[in-house]
Amino acid sequence: MWIADEWKEYEVIDTSKGEKLERWGEYILVRPDPQVIWDTKKVHKGWKKPNAHYHRSSKGGGEWEFFDLPKQWKISYKELTFNLQPFSFKHTGLFPEQAVNWDWFSEKINSVKGRQIKVLNLFAYTGGATLAAAKAGAAVTHVDASKGMVTWAKENAVASGLADAPIRYIVDDCVKFVEREIRRDNKYDAIIMDPPSYGRGPKGEIWKIEDNIHPFIQLCTKVLSDDPLFFLLNSYTTGLQAGVLSYMLSVELKKKFGGQVIADEIGLPVKENGLVLPCGASGRWEK
């Protein structure tokens, strides 16, 4: 398992009964987590006095209960700074477990001398991976179907001192964008994608990961340069385990470019017991 264990301003304090107790900077949140199926004692005082608690509904969805939490605040990871706020379905605008992938590809980008690496970040959300790649020296094209998420990513770039970094922000359906890039003969040295399980594009395009992810990987290989550096695929969907990610990347990338594929779970350390909370899986291809 790849563990994001270099955070200073974020931590999973404890987990129990379908929930996780987290510290985001100076604020304590309780949020649901479907991986937490164990029933351990909630000893830590944060369980009784969080700054906010997201309560999941038995009918689907849920709502926040606020005690003492600002509308927006910031936390940092190394040289990056992120704006956070509680919004729809338990989210805060950041997936801290992805830091382990940021570190991996930042090292890959830094290792290349003599040319600027062009990175395509698809389903790019609020820009965690975009900022990490830009900080490492890459030119990044950031694509997301949500105008609000792209605006948030721009704000994170400003907070991280990357307002003038070579980042191109695109509000578009990711599949449609890649199809156009193929027609334009635009190429990238690396691709990052963090696809949702289900979603809709700006014009109502339906995305269902089990049906669409493999054809999309095939499509994306057509915008890779002749000497690509890496391809990162993330999944939070239960059915798409690490082995499935590895299989798809191996079939589509090793056949065409050689290199190697490795896939594993990603996770976050839990402070109270020293164990690790699983947080999905990632597949990595590298030349």
Side-chain angles (χ1 to χ4, degrees):
M1 182 183 285
W2 295 317
I3 303 171
D5 57 4
E6 295 190 32
W7 280 95
K8 306 296 184 188
E9 297 185 16
Y10 169 85
E11 63 185 351
V12 178
I13 300 169
D14 197 11
T15 61
S16 181
K17 298 180 182 178
E19 295 182 314
K20 54 190 173 186
L21 178 69
E22 305 165 289
R23 178 177 66 84
W24 297 81
E26 58 186 280
Y27 301 104
I28 304 296
L29 305 184
V30 177
R31 298 191 300 154
D33 191 310
Q35 298 286 347
V36 182
I37 61 173
W38 44 88
D39 180 1
T40 51
K41 289 186 177 180
K42 294 183 174 181
V43 177
H44 194 279
K45 62 182 181 181
W47 286 113
K48 295 181 179 179
K49 289 191 174 182
N51 295 98
H53 189 164
Y54 188 91
H55 298 279
R56 196 161 192 172
S57 169
S58 58
K59 299 177 182 179
E63 62 180 2
W64 284 96
E65 180 182 13
F66 299 110
F67 303 105
D68 182 20
L69 187 72
K71 290 184 178 179
Q72 186 171 329
W73 73 104
K74 291 180 170 67
I75 67 169
S76 295
Y77 180 75
K78 297 182 178 179
E79 297 178 280
L80 304 176
T81 299
F82 303 98
N83 296 289
L84 305 178
Q85 65 182 70
F87 75 112
S88 60
F89 192 61
K90 77 180 180 180
H91 295 306
T92 63
L94 188 66
F95 291 95
E97 62 273 12
Q98 285 299 325
V100 72
N101 283 323
W102 304 341
D103 291 342
W104 170 73
F105 67 65
S106 293
E107 187 176 337
K108 301 288 295 177
I109 293 167
N110 277 316
S111 70
V112 176
K113 309 300 179 187
R115 66 179 172 122
Q116 187 174 48
I117 297 299
K118 290 178 63 179
V119 174
L120 176 59
N121 187 15
L122 299 165
F123 312 99
Y125 196 51
T126 58
T130 293
L131 301 187
K135 190 69 178 179
V140 186
T141 297
H142 173 111
V143 187
D144 197 279
S146 167
K147 184 178 180 180
M149 292 300 105
V150 173
T151 299
W152 195 334
K154 292 178 181 178
E155 293 169 353
N156 283 339
V158 171
S160 296
L162 293 168
D164 298 323
I167 303 172
R168 183 168 60 129
Y169 298 96
I170 308 289
V171 179
D172 202 353
D173 174 76
C174 289
V175 176
K176 295 274 178 57
F177 176 78
V178 171
E179 289 172 341
R180 281 198 298 276
E181 291 293 85
I182 292 169
R183 293 195 294 270
R184 295 167 183 148
D185 200 30
N186 285 337
K187 301 292 184 181
Y188 298 88
D189 302 301
I191 293 176
I192 299 165
M193 67 166 71
D194 200 346
S197 297
Y198 179 85
R200 289 184 179 271
K203 294 182 180 179
E205 303 91 341
I206 294 176
W207 168 274
K208 188 176 180 182
I209 195 166
E210 293 89 344
D211 298 335
N212 298 115
I213 188 60
H214 186 214
F216 191 44
I217 294 170
Q218 289 177 313
L219 194 70
C220 286
T221 63
K222 297 178 182 179
V223 295
L224 283 173
S225 65
D226 293 334
D227 186 23
L229 186 62
F230 68 85
F231 195 118
L232 173 65
L233 171 62
N234 293 309
S235 171
Y236 291 92
T237 303
T238 306
L240 294 187
Q241 300 169 356
V244 177
L245 306 185
S246 177
Y247 197 104
M248 291 188 294
L249 293 179
S250 296
V251 166
E252 298 305 330
L253 289 146
K254 284 184 70 175
K255 180 174 63 175
K256 188 171 183 179
F257 299 106
Q260 64 176 358
V261 172
I262 185 170
D264 208 339
E265 288 183 275
I266 55 175
L268 289 161
V270 180
K271 182 182 178 183
E272 282 292 280
N273 54 25
L275 300 176
V276 177
L277 176 65
C279 303
S282 294
R284 302 169 176 175
W285 171 86
E286 58 184 306
K287 191 66 177 288

